[in-house]
Amino acid sequence: NAGVTQTPKFQVLKTGQSMTLQCAQDMNHEYMSWYRQDPGMGLRLIHYSVGAGITDQGEVPNGYNVSRSTTEDFPLRLLSAAPSQTSVYFCASSYEPRGLAGGEQFFGPGTRLTVL
Amino acid sequence: SQQGEEDPQALSIQEGENATMNCSYKTSINNLQWYRQNSGRGLVHLILIRSNEREKHSGRLRVTLDTSKKSSSLLITASRAADTASYFCATDMYSGGGADGLTFGKGTHLIIQP
């Protein structure tokens, strides 16, 4: 199993550009999520999905869109990049977000994004 | 807002010593998890403790949970250079109506001196 994969690893954008961060998992997990990590901070939840066709907002959703057409893929779109979106983005998945299965999340290696 | 807060923010110890880091949180939880992040890498799950558990062990890791004080501690015994990393506690933010995910603290940066 590859686990959770993210592409690209690094990206530089200019203000106003759009792009999609890719995330895929091969563990048949229903729950997937996107977090951003800023220097000296913990991770903050952007969007999440509890299954194909279902998405919802997390703590910091503004400026980002997501979709979940398959169980495996959960792309994150930046609509019009801003310098405030410079961050490291992590995708994670789990069998379920909480409950009896525990909610252990598996993280991808991250995408380091710089917006100039 | 961040639910969990780790203490200390940074910790430097000699190899072979024990490392203890603490986490405090604000609201009721279903479980509390600890993750490790090596520099430039993603987070790796270490251990999960449920709200009805008080202590849990996994190899050299020992986690305690005190729900009355809303706090948890992570003890790493017989530290090794490879334990150098940032350690985060995470709590379940779901409360029946809000976002469904984990809330992370800012982390404790642990440095093991050879």
Side-chain angles (χ1 to χ4, degrees):
Chain A
N1 285 351
V4 179
T5 58
Q6 291 184 238
T7 56
K9 291 185 178 178
F10 301 93
Q11 183 69 50
V12 178
L13 293 177
K14 295 181 179 179
T15 297
Q17 287 184 317
S18 63
M19 79 159 296
T20 299
L21 309 185
Q22 301 292 343
C23 173
Q25 52 91 10
D26 61 358
M27 296 173 283
N28 202 31
H29 285 167
E30 291 294 328
Y31 180 86
M32 296 185 74
S33 55
W34 277 101
Y35 292 86
R36 60 176 288 173
Q37 183 178 34
D38 300 298
M41 302 284 288
L43 278 70
R44 292 182 291 169
L45 182 67
I46 304 172
H47 284 286
Y48 65 96
S49 169
V50 297
I54 306 169
T55 64
D56 211 337
Q57 297 182 348
E59 185 183 356
V60 288
N62 292 341
Y64 308 96
N65 272 357
V66 292
S67 60
R68 185 91 180 273
S69 57
T70 66
T71 299
E72 294 77 22
D73 300 297
F74 191 44
L76 177 72
R77 296 186 192 85
L78 279 70
L79 307 174
S80 177
S84 61
Q85 293 179 304
T86 293
S87 188
V88 182
Y89 292 84
F90 290 99
C91 179
S93 73
S94 67
Y95 178 71
E96 60 179 59
R98 51 191 160 70
L100 294 178
E104 171 192 348
Q105 297 203 21
F106 296 81
F107 282 82
T111 293
R112 189 173 297 272
L113 175 68
T114 301
V115 182
L116 303 176
Chain B
S1 62
Q2 287 173 310
Q3 161 87 301
E5 292 291 340
E6 291 88 348
D7 171 59
Q9 291 185 351
L11 179 62
S12 180
I13 61 173
Q14 295 295 122
E15 194 168 18
E17 294 180 338
N18 295 341
T20 299
M21 54 204 85
N22 304 295
C23 170
S24 60
Y25 57 91
K26 298 175 183 176
T27 62
S28 297
I29 59 173
N30 295 312
N31 62 58
L32 185 144
Q33 304 179 40
W34 285 91
Y35 287 82
R36 183 187 74 231
Q37 184 180 35
N38 291 92
S39 180
R41 302 287 186 90
L43 278 72
V44 175
H45 182 265
L46 294 176
I47 197 166
L48 179 151
I49 186 165
R50 301 188 192 284
S51 59
N52 62 351
E53 297 175 316
R54 292 297 168 259
E55 186 171 315
K56 202 162 184 179
H57 296 255
S58 177
R60 294 184 295 113
L61 306 181
R62 172 179 169 254
V63 169
T64 63
L65 179 65
D66 187 335
T67 54
S68 66
K69 295 181 179 179
K70 292 186 171 59
S71 66
S72 173
S73 67
L74 171 66
L75 168 68
I76 303 174
T77 60
S79 63
R80 306 167 181 169
D83 294 329
T84 293
S86 292
Y87 292 82
F88 295 89
C89 68
T91 54
D92 183 345
M93 71 170 68
Y94 182 75
S95 60
D100 205 348
L102 297 179
T103 302
F104 287 83
K106 295 181 180 180
T108 291
H109 185 51
L110 175 65
I111 297 173
I112 308 300
Q113 306 280 3

